[in-house]
Amino acid sequence: MKKLMLIACVIAGGMMSCSKQESAMPEGAVGYVIDKSENIELTKKSMQALSDGDSATYRATYSEDAVFYDNADTITLDQNVAMFANMKAKGITMKLDKIGEITETIYNKPGYFDADHFVYAYAWFTMTRGDKSVKVIIHSVDGIKDGKQVVEWLRYDTKKISEIMQ
């Protein structure tokens, strides 16, 4: 009986030591940051679709009522897609060179646009028109809810884009 009790204690101890333990967040923490997730892959997919000129895939990564804060302008998904169609009509191509930094912050409770997952990225794009090219670094923050981007903040140098548009 003692051997049986000892074996049971060893098994129970082993199971407890192997069980996933929740890590306690520091006092005052409102969330945590990760560098691999489905939401990060969603943002990458959106950027690649933009680079490929695939508006259907690009549009599918966003909710229909997504809001974009494009530098100082507030635009809708339709307006955002129309901007890229306008560039394409002018013979401008966009190539995703690299994504330098991309992380997701997961907050304890929903915030802006009821999202609690936000993907932060720095991406380098080359825009080309004829023999003229410019490199643009875009910083984006994507608020994600239910597997769709619902809000996006974009910051980039508009001067370079104006140059290529002329």
Side-chain angles (χ1 to χ4, degrees):
M1 184 69 164
K2 285 183 181 180
K3 284 184 181 180
L4 186 58
M5 186 65 91
L6 181 61
I7 292 171
C9 287
V10 168
I11 291 172
M15 288 174 60
M16 282 194 256
S17 67
C18 292
S19 68
K20 184 178 177 182
Q21 294 181 351
E22 296 295 320
S23 60
M25 291 212 284
E27 185 178 332
V30 295
Y32 57 95
V33 178
I34 56 177
D35 65 0
K36 290 180 180 71
S37 74
E38 288 180 18
N39 291 330
I40 288 172
E41 292 307 312
L42 179 70
T43 294
K44 288 179 179 179
K45 179 180 180 179
S46 172
M47 288 181 185
Q48 190 60 57
L50 176 64
S51 177
D52 295 342
D54 182 353
S55 61
T57 299
Y58 179 77
R59 182 182 282 279
T61 65
Y62 293 91
S63 67
E64 276 302 314
D65 59 349
V67 174
F68 295 79
Y69 295 97
D70 189 338
N71 282 329
D73 296 328
T74 303
I75 60 175
T76 65
L77 177 60
D78 289 337
Q79 291 169 317
N80 183 272
V81 171
M83 280 184 358
F84 296 111
N86 183 32
M87 283 193 247
K88 191 174 185 178
K90 290 185 176 211
I92 298 170
T93 60
M94 251 179 118
K95 177 181 170 271
L96 176 61
D97 297 319
K98 72 175 184 174
I99 299 172
E101 179 78 22
I102 187 163
T103 59
E104 178 180 359
T105 301
I106 301 167
Y107 292 94
N108 295 338
K109 54 185 171 184
Y112 205 61
F113 279 78
D114 208 28
D116 55 358
H117 294 257
F118 291 85
V119 175
Y120 299 82
Y122 288 92
W124 280 252
F125 287 88
T126 300
M127 298 178 75
T128 305
R129 183 178 188 191
D131 61 352
K132 189 176 188 180
S133 290
V134 295
K135 294 215 180 265
V136 178
I137 300 171
I138 299 177
H139 175 231
S140 65
V141 178
D142 297 319
I144 301 173
K145 179 181 175 189
D146 300 328
K148 296 282 188 175
Q149 296 173 94
V150 294
V151 60
E152 184 171 78
W153 290 268
L154 299 162
R155 295 288 179 256
Y156 53 88
D157 181 358
T158 57
K159 181 180 176 199
K160 290 182 177 186
I161 294 175
S162 294
E163 289 173 11
I164 201 86
M165 292 287 282
Q166 297 179 16

